[in-house]
Amino acid sequence: MDTRKLEYFVKIVDSGSITKAAAALHVAQPALSQQVSALEKELKQRLLIRSKQGVEPTAAGNSLYRHAQTILRLVEEARQDVATSGAAPSGRVSIAIAPYSMASSLAPKIVREVKRRYPDILLHLTEIFGGVLSEAIKNGKLDMALIYEPGEIRGVRFTTMIVEDLYLVANPAVELETDPSGAVTLETVSGFELFLPESNHTIRQVVDGALQDRGLPLRLAGEVESVPSLGRLLRANLGATILPRSAADTLFPDQHFQVHRIVEPALQCKIALCTADHEPMSEAASAVLILVREMVKNQLLDRYGTGPA
């Protein structure tokens, strides 16, 4: 099956008429009909229903039409990429960063470095929570994301960058029972009113699962998905929250909140780089992806003296 046949078939379906498609393609009508017949013979399916009013695709024709559009788009992207290879990457690249994470501190650095290395790339940055991530990545609205890894999701690929312990973050006025290392048990944590993200967020799922496994209650003070609001609530001592240490240090650098590692059991989450597993990236997106990996690695080296997990 060659792309020319697919191009002809798409034009026929769009035109609703072999005659109109032949005129638009500057191809003789009998030759165009022969191309359709060749496709039908190759696929062993009837693709078009012909009538005096024109043509309509069959169920098999509709299926081929959808796949043909994707194939032709990818072929055109390949032509453009090859034509511009060797030139500086350009175009729009979209990246999402989890708000409640160390990764959020990378946003200014990513923007600055992309601008320095690739001035023709337009970077679109957004903060996003995991519940809508998979669809955004799969339908091409996002090229990549740095988020808490939620587990396997069909259509997307996660590359784990770091595994972090979770900590209780509370107002300095809160009285806490800690062990000699300064850690608090999950049972102690269960006695606090907690501000957590919605149930589709990975941190919330880790906390919910751990409490349920131990038969401990979740005292939910509220569901908060705004970093400024979370900081104000903690300062007002209306409850505590649970975050990785790196996220607490990044999000509240000027606060004097208590930050205690949770033990018995220790709770962990993963920060991962997420991309689609079925769509090839543009040259610009590939360049930004390499840069982001490099910057995450450098951030981890600076903070922990080690690279990605």
Side-chain angles (χ1 to χ4, degrees), residues 33-270:
S33 296
Q34 287 176 3
Q35 294 286 354
V36 174
S37 296
L39 266 179
E40 291 180 327
K41 184 177 180 180
E42 182 177 350
L43 296 172
K44 297 180 176 61
Q45 292 285 343
R46 189 178 182 186
L47 301 175
L48 296 174
I49 298 173
R50 297 163 178 82
S51 69
K52 293 181 179 179
Q53 287 73 37
V55 294
E56 288 288 339
T58 63
N62 275 319
S63 179
L64 177 62
Y65 177 76
R66 291 193 301 272
H67 286 293
Q69 285 183 309
T70 300
I71 292 168
L72 293 173
R73 176 174 58 80
L74 292 175
V75 169
E76 181 57 29
E77 287 179 0
R79 289 195 183 107
Q80 292 178 1
D81 286 347
V82 171
T84 59
S85 61
S90 63
R92 184 178 185 271
V93 177
S94 56
I95 176 172
I97 297 178
Y100 287 1
S101 72
M102 171 190 71
S104 61
S105 67
L106 284 175
K109 299 176 184 178
I110 292 172
V111 172
R112 186 181 302 114
E113 196 62 17
V114 168
K115 186 176 181 180
R116 185 182 73 83
R117 296 192 196 182
Y118 310 112
D120 294 327
I121 290 179
L122 174 63
L123 198 62
H124 176 82
L125 274 171
T126 186
E127 290 188 334
I128 195 169
F129 286 88
V132 297
L133 170 71
S134 57
E135 286 304 314
I137 291 285
K138 284 189 285 188
N139 64 25
K141 290 184 178 179
L142 286 172
D143 291 304
M144 67 197 76
L146 269 172
I147 60 147
Y148 288 108
E149 186 173 337
E152 186 175 347
I153 295 178
R154 186 176 180 181
V156 295
R157 180 189 299 113
F158 293 98
T159 303
T160 302
M161 304 304 294
I162 184 172
V163 179
E164 294 193 276
D165 290 328
L166 292 180
Y167 286 68
L168 180 71
V169 184
N171 187 282
V174 172
E175 293 186 4
L176 277 168
E177 182 179 341
T178 65
D179 67 15
S181 70
V184 295
T185 65
L186 183 63
E187 184 174 2
T188 298
V189 171
S190 70
F192 284 89
E193 295 282 329
L194 296 174
F195 292 107
L196 296 171
E198 288 185 305
S199 58
N200 61 1
H201 193 283
T202 303
I203 287 181
R204 173 70 177 276
Q205 292 171 0
V206 170
V207 173
D208 284 352
L211 290 172
Q212 289 174 10
D213 289 345
R214 292 296 177 104
L216 297 170
L218 170 64
R219 304 181 190 278
L220 194 61
E223 293 180 330
V224 182
E225 297 192 347
S226 162
V227 171
S229 295
L230 181 62
R232 288 191 289 269
L233 292 167
L234 294 181
R235 284 195 297 273
N237 200 16
L238 296 177
T241 193
I242 294 175
L243 293 169
R245 179 62 187 256
S246 65
D249 292 344
T250 297
L251 300 176
F252 312 119
D254 300 322
Q255 305 299 321
H256 299 288
F257 295 143
Q258 299 184 67
V259 183
H260 301 277
R261 189 167 73 90
I262 300 170
V263 296
E264 297 181 23
L267 306 185
Q268 293 184 324
C269 63
K270 301 174 182 177

Side-chain angles (χ1 to χ4, degrees), residues 11-26:
K11 178 59 73 173
I12 291 170
V13 174
D14 288 341
S15 302
S17 164
I18 292 180
T19 302
K20 292 179 180 178
L25 293 167
H26 305 290

